Amino acid sequence: MDEQTAETQAPPLTRFDYVSFDVVGTLIDFEGAIKAGLDAIATAAGIDLDGEAALSVYRAARYEPGALKFPDDLGRCYGRIAAEFGLPDTPEARQSMIDAVGEAQPFPDSTEALARLARRYKLIAMTNARRWAYEKYAAKLGEPFWAGFTTDETGTEKPDAAFFEQVFAHVAATGGSKDRILHTAQSQYHDIGISRALGMTNCWIQRRHAQKGYGGTIEPAEFTRPDYHFHSLADLADAVDRAFAD
């Protein structure tokens, strides 16, 4: 664990009333689901596929003009991956990738850590996934969220500030304030940079700390030093437990 509170002078963890979360990539292992779905197709086709290389193609495809909402866009992205690696590009294969990511599983520590955090804070999901996928993910995570925002409701995707502003408005309408939210995410591009620009306190969960590169997530133009920095959600929950015990 690498906690970086001293360098940023972050407020103590006991100060917050809410923790907002990126879901896909922070709580849900979408990269693992993509790799598993591709591996099943590649194995059936007798092709040896490099999963990390495929994630790089996915990442580039995901940010092309005309991209669909996540995870519906996995079919289109699969077409790019299939062309790059010689995989069969059929309607069935494309749908299987959408289904695989729609059924992506939580990281091993996510559900237990969220349950602990929910004892201290109101938890808010902020996801670039569609509502149908979010509901599957929330169920797998044990339904820990006080509120959930998806692209279907917000009409936009992070890092658009408008997504965050809708969350701020909801919190304010229920008697809270932005400065009492700790925004927690793995994506520097989608979450950590914009949350800093909007004046939030943030927590970077560096899920790929043991791997090179950004995997399936777009690389930020510049790195943002987070207020808190952990390698897992369990590490954050442990730090919160310690803070409240002091």
Side-chain angles (χ1 to χ4, degrees):
M1 179 189 71
D2 177 16
E3 183 179 344
Q4 298 181 351
T5 58
E7 297 179 28
T8 59
Q9 299 298 309
L13 291 167
T14 53
R15 185 177 183 275
F16 302 102
D17 298 320
Y18 310 85
V19 181
S20 55
F21 291 94
D22 166 63
V23 176
V24 177
T26 304
L27 308 178
I28 296 292
D29 184 9
F30 86 104
E31 291 185 357
I34 290 174
K35 288 180 178 180
L38 290 173
D39 185 63
I41 296 169
T43 299
I47 296 172
D48 185 16
L49 182 68
D50 182 335
E52 283 294 310
L55 283 179
S56 294
V57 176
Y58 163 78
R59 181 176 66 243
R62 186 70 182 95
Y63 299 100
E64 293 173 344
L68 305 174
K69 292 181 178 180
F70 182 94
D72 299 20
D73 198 39
L74 262 294
R76 187 190 63 84
C77 292
Y78 173 77
R80 304 292 190 273
I81 296 169
E84 181 73 19
F85 298 101
L87 297 173
D89 188 2
T90 65
E92 292 77 17
R94 291 190 176 210
Q95 185 61 49
S96 74
M97 289 304 303
I98 297 172
D99 295 341
V101 177
E103 295 295 341
Q105 297 299 310
F107 288 100
D109 66 328
S110 293
T111 302
E112 188 274 339
L114 286 170
R116 280 196 282 155
L117 292 169
R119 295 199 291 264
R120 313 283 191 186
Y121 312 107
K122 292 178 179 177
L123 308 186
I124 304 171
M126 297 174 58
T127 180
N128 283 354
R130 297 198 64 189
R131 171 60 59 170
W132 71 262
Y134 164 69
E135 289 179 353
K136 287 177 176 287
Y137 300 150
K140 294 175 189 295
L141 292 164
E143 303 290 358
F145 300 112
W146 171 74
F149 294 81
T150 80
T151 55
D152 285 335
E153 291 84 52
T154 63
T156 187
E157 294 184 351
K158 299 173 295 175
D160 188 348
F163 193 120
F164 287 79
E165 294 293 346
Q166 292 186 49
V167 176
F168 300 158
H170 180 77
V171 168
T174 56
S177 63
K178 179 180 72 175
D179 65 340
R180 307 288 286 197
I181 305 172
L182 176 65
H183 188 59
T184 302
Q186 66 86 27
S187 176
Q188 281 275 327
Y189 173 78
H190 295 96
D191 292 273
I192 301 301
I194 183 61
S195 62
R196 170 60 47 72
L198 293 173
M200 301 180 79
T201 303
N202 57 38
C203 175
W204 185 34
I205 305 299
Q206 190 184 3
R207 288 291 189 186
R208 289 181 58 89
H209 62 90
Q211 300 167 279
K212 294 181 180 180
Y214 285 85
T217 303
I218 195 169
E219 183 174 354
E222 61 180 314
F223 179 83
T224 300
R225 184 175 296 280
D227 296 301
Y228 288 91
H229 179 187
F230 301 99
H231 288 170
S232 73
L233 198 65
D235 287 340
L236 169 59
D238 289 344
V240 167
D241 287 344
R242 290 193 299 270
F244 278 90
D246 290 344

